[in-house]
Amino acid sequence: MNRFAIGHVLIKTRQLQLAVKNFQQLGFTVTYRTDPSKTHNALIYLQDGSFLELFNPKPINLPDQLLRPLHPAVVNRFLYYLNSQEAMLVYFGQKAYRRASAG
């Protein structure tokens, strides 16, 4: 029997350090993959192996030749995340949904 499982939930924020502090105050353990002063994301691992990703994407200008080899759905999702407002974001295939405003 196949079971639907969520790998991770993306939570976009304009103030990563403040979001980390708020989640820590709620009792979550927040980890970084790199130096916290230079990172654009932080991770909160849950017991079932899924995780919450707090992220503050920095605007970047990628040359067209770097985006061309990627599947259009990947490019569309990436651009949606970059251009969306601060919120918990859910992306299913070609449709993106904003689930909850973070403030």
Side-chain angles (χ1 to χ4, degrees), residues 1-102:
M1 179 172 153
N2 290 336
R3 186 180 132 227
F4 176 78
I6 294 175
H8 79 285
V9 174
L10 203 52
I11 302 171
K12 183 176 179 183
T13 179
R14 291 185 191 104
Q15 298 178 3
L16 180 62
Q17 298 305 322
L18 179 60
V20 166
K21 180 181 174 185
N22 289 339
F23 274 90
Q24 287 173 329
Q25 288 176 345
L26 291 171
F28 290 96
T29 300
V30 182
T31 62
Y32 298 94
R33 290 190 164 195
T34 185
D35 180 350
S37 66
K38 298 178 182 179
T39 191
H40 301 289
N41 70 341
L43 306 173
I44 300 169
Y45 290 96
L46 306 175
Q47 290 180 345
D48 66 357
S50 60
F51 61 96
L52 305 178
E53 180 179 357
L54 307 174
F55 87 116
N56 180 11
K58 301 298 179 197
I60 56 174
N61 293 318
L62 292 176
D64 187 50
Q65 63 267 27
L66 288 179
L67 291 177
R68 227 177 285 142
L70 298 175
H71 190 281
V74 172
V75 174
N76 290 340
R77 179 172 54 190
F78 178 72
L79 293 175
Y80 171 78
Y81 288 149
L82 286 181
N83 296 320
S84 66
Q85 297 297 314
E86 186 174 55
M88 183 170 67
L89 306 172
V90 179
Y91 191 94
F92 294 107
Q94 296 297 317
K95 293 188 176 184
Y97 304 92
R98 182 151 57 129
R99 288 291 187 204
S101 177

